[in-house]
Amino acid sequence: QATRVVGVPDVVVEIVSPNSEDKDLEWLMSAYHDAGIPEYWLIDARGDSVRFDIYRRGPRGYRRTKPADGWVKSAVLGKSFHLGR
């Protein structure tokens, strides 16, 4: 049975994999911006370190939130986050 979601989510989290790199880093970000999603979280743990970025929606696209001491603040959730191994 199908489920329908009505409205726009506040946050989308994508985890990059070798098979989804182009999709996650390029066209999904554009599609989510067009849909009006306020924050796009991108996690890439394929290397030795974890890449964790929060992008905030602006008028022409998403802008990366600058980390402070390794922590990235979510405007939507009002908290700061840090990912590591």
Side-chain angles (χ1 to χ4, degrees):
Q1 181 179 6
T3 301
R4 176 179 239 166
V5 177
V6 178
V8 176
D10 294 325
V11 174
V12 170
V13 179
E14 289 291 345
I15 300 172
V16 181
S17 71
N19 296 330
S20 71
E21 183 173 10
D22 291 339
K23 177 182 73 167
D24 296 333
L25 300 177
E26 294 177 24
W27 70 268
L28 273 181
M29 187 178 284
S30 177
Y32 291 149
H33 182 270
D34 292 345
I37 297 168
E39 280 188 359
Y40 179 67
W41 293 25
L42 190 63
I43 300 166
D44 187 347
R46 296 175 296 164
D48 291 335
S49 61
V50 176
R51 175 183 166 195
F52 170 55
D53 293 309
I54 295 177
Y55 294 88
R56 291 185 187 159
R57 190 175 187 277
R60 294 191 178 121
Y62 284 106
R63 289 183 291 163
R64 184 176 167 265
T65 303
K66 293 180 183 176
D69 295 324
W71 292 80
V72 186
K73 183 156 186 171
S74 165
V76 170
L77 300 177
K79 301 284 182 186
S80 294
F81 297 87
H82 171 80
L83 293 181
R85 292 206 168 153

